[in-house]
Amino acid sequence: MKLWMAGLGMAALMGATPVLEAMAQPSPAAIVTERREGFKAAGDNMTAIAAVARAGGDPRGTVERIAAVQAWFATAGTRFPAGTQQGAPGIDTRALPAIWTDRATFDTAMAAMGPRLTALREAAASGNVANFQAAVQATGAACGDCHRPFRAR
Ligand code: HEC
């Protein structure tokens, strides 16, 4: 009985392997499309968050948007494989080749987002408008720190 079940499990696993491999290897163009959509959504969220800061509104309503931006930046750094830079065949991107020639600086700029967004979320949840406004500024500056060297205009 036990052996029979083990055999069944093995057959199921073998059948699933090609599917898993196909899913694990999206094309460079598909990676770039998803990457741009992710940054675009983060940008839209940040625009809405900044509007609340400018208006001096209650920051507590922005916590959900900040959480969405945090979720994006948790994986954004993994979305820059080789062959997805500006100039690569069949790729429509503003990601500059400098990302791949100076990866350490790029990774540092990416890692800087984590603590900025944590501070932004804490300031928003606290309801303190001045702290929230300062944290929005600091977060926006961190976006620019990466865009200036690594994103084409
Ligand atoms: C570590 C680098 C880095 C950080 C940090 C970063 N970005 Fe970007 N961003 C990029 C790169 C590179 C691209 C170009 C992606 C592409 O075209 O494939 C981009 C593209 C974008 C785009 C354009 C997406 C589109 O429509 O194609 C927006 C909007 C954007 N980022 C917003 C933000 C915001 C807002 C922040 C801060 C909360 C931020 N980014 C932080 C590197 C970064």
Side-chain angles (χ1 to χ4, degrees):
M1 182 62 175
K2 259 203 172 138
L3 255 178
W4 178 84
M5 277 172 67
L8 193 74
M10 190 69 113
L13 227 96
M14 280 160 59
T17 303
V19 177
L20 286 174
E21 271 171 10
M23 282 170 60
Q25 312 225 318
S27 70
I31 291 170
V32 169
T33 299
E34 209 181 277
R35 178 167 86 201
R36 296 189 57 172
E37 282 168 1
F39 275 117
K40 168 112 181 26
D44 290 347
N45 275 321
M46 280 304 296
T47 300
I49 293 161
V52 174
R54 251 196 319 278
D58 187 340
R60 286 171 293 189
T62 67
V63 168
E64 233 170 86
R65 285 188 187 275
I66 296 166
V69 177
Q70 283 180 305
W72 165 249
F73 279 99
T75 66
T78 67
R79 294 163 189 275
F80 292 88
T84 63
Q85 75 279 14
Q86 198 175 58
I91 299 295
D92 179 17
T93 178
R94 289 158 71 194
L96 291 174
I99 293 168
W100 287 266
T101 55
D102 190 4
R103 191 63 175 227
T105 306
F106 179 78
D107 288 346
T108 301
M110 192 63 89
M113 285 312 303
R116 298 285 177 110
L117 289 169
T118 301
L120 177 60
R121 185 166 168 172
E122 281 169 10
S126 80
N128 183 307
V129 172
N131 288 353
F132 172 66
Q133 289 171 329
V136 168
Q137 288 275 332
T139 304
C143 308
D145 286 345
C146 185
H147 289 161
R148 253 172 280 113
F150 296 117
R151 187 182 74 167
R153 269 168 241 283

